Amino acid sequence: MSLAGVRVVEVAGSVAGAWAGKLFSGLGADVTKLVPASGDLLHELGSPWRDGSTMSAYLDTAKRVVREPGADLAELVASADVVIESSAPDPLRRRAEGMGGSGLIQVLISPFGLSGPHATYRSTSLTDEAWSGHALLSGHPDREPLAGPGHQSDYAAGTLGFIGAMAALFDRRRTGLGQSVEVSSIEAMVALHQFTFVKYTHGGQVLRRLGNRYAGPGHPIGGYECADGWVSISAPTAAMARAVLHATGNADLLEGATAAELMVDGIEIDARVRPWMRERTVDDVVRILQAARVPIAPNLTMLQLLEDEHFAARDLWSDVDGLRHPGPPFRIGRQPWRLESPDAPVASAAPSPVEEAPSDVPPLSGVRVLDLTKVWAGPLAARTLAELGADVVMVEAPMARGPKNMPAALARSMALFPDNEPGERPWNRNGFQNEYARNKRSVTLDLTGDAGRRVLEQLVTKADVLMENYSARVMPGFGLDEHRLGQLNPSLVYVTMPGYGRTGPCRDWLAYGNVIDGHGGMTSLTGYAGERPWKSGVAWPDAVAGLHAAAATLVALWTRGDDPGRRGDTIEVAQVETVIATLGHELLEAQVRGEDRAPRGNRHPLHAPQGVYPASGHDRWVAVSVLDDAGWRALCDLAGFGADVRALSVDERRSRHDELDGLLGAFCATGEPGDLTAILQGRGVAAAPLLDAPGVLDDPHLKAREFFVAVHHPDAGTHLCNRSPVRLSRTSVLGPVRAPLLGEHSKEVLVGEGIVTTTQLDELVRAAVVVTAPPK
């Protein structure tokens, strides 16, 4: 199996650490989980199941679970390659520090990191989303913001912990030396924004929640009710808006206005489209609009996922102890996904350095990645590898960055161009494109003709990885399917990221992240308590798919390194399956309960009270999560609540949550979010201000940890960019390097590496196969 021979010790801590451990165990590593005498948080987070809970039943698959005092941590660490320590809601208190030899890799996942002014603060999923700027993007603009389904910050941080551990293993393979890997949940979430920061730093726009929809451009875009359920739809372009109007019989609206004009506020579109949808079933609406090439999908609950024909066709479910578990977040061609524990421990993969290398050599130095991806998920995956030292060469279409001339009004509406001005070279000034092109090189190729495809084939022969996120039919349409790529380069790791995978009834559906969250079950869990499902303001499936694609690539490269024949492999990252994997605990919970759970707003099944409360000023909020009785008593003393309220048990607090929300709302209403947070955290209560883009960029904790760096771009100017949320103690993780200009490295790569001659490059330029500016 992929990671056979790697021994991991996971010290029971947070969901993040457990997910990192599950990625290791599922891919064949020998994982021993040590449960301290104080117990395992996972047992408290789900319904009772066997000797644990639904949460531990999901996250502890294929692990060997041992308990203290029967097992000794030092003894376990002595034979380990990787130790995972994590904590939430409390800061991390390291137990394995100083243990193990020089080759040990220690993964440390905590709420705020090990340093900085907030390193001692407590944290929950709610406060993670609040502090990182995510929560303020979801919900009704006249109501409190909404957090997403619980534990998504844990899954993100856990995946980054796994990525960091794999990077450290690559470095150890070269040097024989271990190191520590540090991941902060807050930094992980801050790093996983799509438009939030670039719209502010470039166009001065501060994003806020827009209702039951994605907080991005386009219309219709969001959740829509049908006769028998809900759908998620995404029409971000005028062409797609026109397709919606034609398919729904409302093309007459286009006689008095353009689609772009109708999309500005969407009122006229909704007035026609919403009634049309309410008269039809979910299946009919999805069938009609997918046929019109509009991204749309049904909103499914957990139990409906188990009956969906697409997932059945892809054989997604596996039975473990009477419960159906989802498959892996990615599929690696020849590598199985393990759900059963191994019978006996395996021998440790002792470090054996191939060559001595200084600490400033990044872990993926020498790895070449061809990046054919677009939008967010794929570019994020490739950038993650670039930050670890891979040479990522973007292969861009001549029109990939838009037209040669950008109308000033359009540039202003996008808020992605510096000072909202398109400038002389707008194709090099788009802040979103530059954000995800950082640390990469750019080669332009028109792949619609034979000449461009022949050059790409030559590039493939010299690459280690090719990554694309086209729909399933595009690469075969280029004549570059998995078989052909393998012929060109048997060592190639081919990463494909279609929304629904390459098989199944939905394989050819158009899919964006803000549609997939509905089909993958996430939308059914989000919303105000007792109300309809609610769309997240963030296209979260793109973020989690991007991280897991990077993780899978590292695993495939690791496996190739152990193969005498250096055979490559194919990785398939179906975004919808990645979403389901990060909701696996909810899927098991629904099966045990025999029913789907309804949205619960910002409340928590255990902690009470928990919510988002208005603070002083317009649209200013503070998230509060009372984790224990001591925190509740401290809060009551601070707020001056009566003795009868102070004495309430957690069960009583849950039953009287509405009343306590009123009391907390009145207490918070006169305070500043930052001041309230500091006071509450000082008394052991998890709390966070709901920060917007300028608030996150100005956060003193992130400043102290130097998380944002000013980066200068010759056409776009100087702007703040985040560092990688993975920190290695000994080896370099590259800081942000400015994005390349369109085609900036075409000659350097194509001629410099012998792909074409100078004469041939001139011919490609004359034919507009290779460009440095859009042809029109």
Side-chain angles (χ1 to χ4, degrees):
M1 294 185 72
S2 301
L3 299 181
V6 176
R7 291 202 64 182
V8 178
V9 172
E10 174 198 327
V11 181
S14 69
V15 171
W19 180 244
K22 181 179 174 73
L23 291 174
F24 270 110
S25 66
L27 291 162
D30 185 273
V31 179
T32 299
K33 178 175 178 176
L34 176 66
V35 179
S38 57
D40 186 353
L41 174 68
L42 300 192
H43 288 195
E44 303 173 17
L45 292 177
S47 294
W49 180 255
R50 303 294 167 87
D51 61 346
S53 71
T54 49
M55 181 68 84
S56 58
Y58 178 60
L59 292 176
D60 288 344
T61 52
K63 299 175 185 176
R64 187 179 298 102
V65 179
V66 299
R67 290 172 172 79
E68 293 180 322
D72 180 74
L73 177 59
E75 192 174 300
L76 290 171
V77 170
S79 60
D81 302 296
V82 178
V83 174
I84 301 171
E85 294 193 77
S86 65
S87 183
D90 294 319
L92 182 63
R93 294 177 175 85
R94 298 176 63 178
R95 298 186 59 204
E97 188 172 13
M99 297 181 183
S102 62
L104 182 67
I105 294 163
Q106 301 185 63
V107 180
L108 309 168
I109 309 173
S110 62
F112 287 88
L114 303 182
S115 63
H118 301 152
T120 60
Y121 279 11
R122 305 180 89 182
S123 154
T124 64
S125 296
L126 173 63
T127 61
D128 288 344
E129 292 199 33
W131 212 305
S132 62
H134 281 266
L136 204 60
L137 301 178
S138 300
H140 193 284
D142 296 328
R143 298 179 65 177
E144 72 274 16
L146 277 172
H151 303 296
Q152 289 305 303
S153 63
D154 288 298
Y155 283 101
T159 308
L160 285 161
F162 176 83
I163 288 171
M166 288 302 306
L169 282 168
F170 272 97
D171 180 76
R172 193 186 75 165
R173 178 179 270 173
R174 183 170 57 232
T175 67
L177 299 175
Q179 59 190 305
S180 64
V181 177
E182 183 188 350
V183 174
S184 150
S185 296
I186 294 296
E187 291 179 352
M189 293 297 287
V190 170
L192 296 177
H193 278 269
Q194 186 173 10
F195 299 115
T196 309
F197 300 117
V198 293
K199 279 183 175 283
Y200 174 68
T201 59
H202 288 62
Q205 184 181 102
V206 179
L207 288 182
R208 288 289 199 279
R209 57 204 181 281
L210 299 175
N212 196 359
R213 57 163 290 171
Y214 167 62
H219 209 88
I221 189 165
Y224 285 75
E225 188 176 13
C226 300
D228 59 346
W230 288 76
V231 295
S232 297
I233 183 172
S234 180
T237 68
M240 286 184 178
R242 284 194 299 272
V244 171
L245 293 174
H246 280 281
T248 60
N250 292 300
D252 61 293
L253 282 178
L254 297 170
E255 296 172 4
T258 66
E261 290 169 336
L262 291 169
M263 292 168 69
V264 172
D265 57 27
I267 294 174
E268 291 183 84
I269 293 177
D270 279 354
R272 297 285 194 91
V273 170
R274 287 191 185 278
W276 181 89
M277 289 190 177
R278 291 193 188 104
E279 295 171 356
R280 291 164 175 80
T281 66
V282 166
D283 286 347
D284 283 344
V285 170
V286 170
R287 175 180 51 79
I288 291 168
L289 290 179
Q290 277 287 347
R293 304 305 290 160
V294 176
I296 187 171
N299 285 0
L300 301 185
T301 67
M302 294 295 102
L303 295 181
Q304 287 172 336
L305 286 172
L306 296 172
E307 306 304 322
D308 185 83
E309 63 176 1
H310 178 76
F311 303 125
R314 285 180 57 79
D315 196 23
L316 185 62
W317 316 114
S318 297
D319 187 276
V320 179
D321 292 333
L323 295 176
R324 278 184 286 177
H325 287 234
F330 44 72
R331 303 185 186 208
I332 304 178
R334 294 192 302 273
Q335 311 303 326
W337 178 250
R338 189 173 67 184
L339 291 172
E340 301 293 340
S341 300
D343 294 330
V346 300
S348 172
S352 52
V354 175
E355 60 181 87
E356 288 296 329
S359 60
D360 60 352
V361 174
L364 295 188
S365 179
V367 172
R368 164 69 62 82
V369 178
L370 295 181
D371 177 13
L372 276 67
T373 65
K374 54 185 179 179
V375 192
W376 188 16
L380 170 63
R383 194 188 75 186
T384 300
L385 300 175
E387 289 167 339
L388 295 173
D391 175 22
V392 177
V393 176
M394 295 190 299
V395 179
E396 300 188 78
M399 294 295 292
R401 303 193 190 186
K404 180 177 290 186
N405 297 305
M406 171 72 66
L410 179 58
R412 285 194 298 273
S413 69
M414 295 173 71
L416 293 174
F417 293 86
D419 301 318
N420 290 315
E421 296 291 340
E424 295 181 2
R425 291 177 291 276
W427 58 90
N428 287 328
R429 285 169 55 83
N430 185 304
F432 173 68
Q433 292 173 336
N434 286 340
E435 172 72 9
Y436 289 95
R438 287 196 279 110
N439 295 68
K440 304 177 185 180
R441 297 194 286 170
S442 172
V443 168
T444 51
L445 282 178
D446 183 353
L447 299 180
T448 62
D450 291 342
R453 290 198 290 269
R454 283 195 297 270
V455 175
L456 178 60
E457 288 188 346
Q458 291 301 307
L459 286 170
V460 167
T461 65
K462 295 177 179 290
D464 298 287
V465 178
L466 185 147
M467 185 174 287
E468 51 87 3
N469 60 348
Y470 300 130
S471 61
R473 55 191 179 184
V474 171
M475 289 296 283
F478 285 153
L480 290 170
D481 61 8
E482 177 181 355
H483 176 69
R484 175 57 178 158
L485 291 172
Q487 288 180 326
L488 291 168
N489 183 352
S491 295
L492 184 73
V493 173
Y494 171 41
V495 185
T496 181
M497 302 174 65
Y500 286 95
R502 296 179 297 167
T503 60
C506 302
R507 69 179 293 271
D508 291 325
W509 281 15
L510 285 187
Y512 291 146
N514 55 340
V515 165
I516 281 176
D517 59 0
H519 204 161
M522 183 171 288
T523 300
S524 73
L525 302 170
T526 306
Y528 296 102
E531 298 186 16
R532 64 189 186 276
W534 202 271
K535 294 295 294 179
S536 170
V538 179
W540 188 246
D542 283 285
V544 293
L547 290 185
H548 284 90
T553 304
L554 291 169
V555 173
L557 288 171
W558 177 266
T559 305
R560 190 187 71 171
D562 283 339
D563 182 0
R566 283 181 59 81
R567 291 176 301 165
D569 213 334
T570 297
I571 297 168
E572 181 185 277
V573 185
Q575 282 193 26
V576 69
E577 293 177 0
T578 308
V579 169
I580 294 170
T582 64
L583 296 173
H585 61 285
E586 294 278 7
L587 189 77
L588 269 61
E589 181 80 9
Q591 293 176 74
V592 170
R593 292 171 59 91
E595 62 181 9
D596 290 303
R597 77 162 175 87
R600 55 182 174 229
N602 294 312
R603 293 182 180 178
H604 192 275
L606 295 179
H607 311 320
Q610 174 175 288
V612 172
Y613 303 98
S616 175
H618 173 67
D619 203 28
R620 304 185 74 199
W621 306 83
V622 62
V624 178
S625 184
V626 176
L627 304 171
D628 48 38
D629 290 339
W632 175 243
R633 290 192 293 269
L635 173 56
C636 289
D637 292 342
L638 177 67
F641 297 161
D644 57 333
V645 174
R646 188 182 189 275
L648 294 176
S649 68
V650 66
D651 290 336
E652 292 170 325
R653 298 198 297 271
R654 277 196 292 267
S655 66
R656 295 172 60 177
H657 213 301
D658 289 344
E659 173 191 347
L660 299 181
D661 280 346
L663 292 174
L664 272 171
F667 166 68
C668 294
T670 59
E672 295 287 326
D675 294 341
L676 287 166
T677 295
I679 294 169
L680 290 168
Q681 287 279 4
R683 286 161 173 77
V685 179
L690 271 74
L691 298 181
D692 55 16
V696 173
L697 291 171
D698 198 43
D699 181 66
H701 182 76
L702 296 174
K703 282 186 174 182
R705 288 172 61 84
E706 299 180 335
F707 189 61
F708 289 103
V709 179
V711 176
H712 180 73
H713 186 280
D715 277 353
T718 302
H719 298 96
L720 291 175
C721 300
N722 65 273
R723 293 183 183 274
S724 167
V726 175
R727 298 175 183 241
L728 302 181
S729 64
R730 194 187 60 80
T731 307
S732 292
V733 175
L734 300 181
V737 177
R738 64 99 168 160
L741 308 176
L742 180 68
E744 180 176 352
H745 302 97
S746 294
K747 183 175 182 179
E748 177 179 296
V749 172
L750 298 181
V751 176
E753 300 182 13
I755 303 295
V756 299
T757 65
T758 301
T759 300
Q760 289 170 329
L761 179 62
D762 291 341
E763 293 173 354
L764 293 170
V765 171
R766 282 194 294 271
V769 174
V770 173
V771 303
T772 55
K776 58 183 179 180

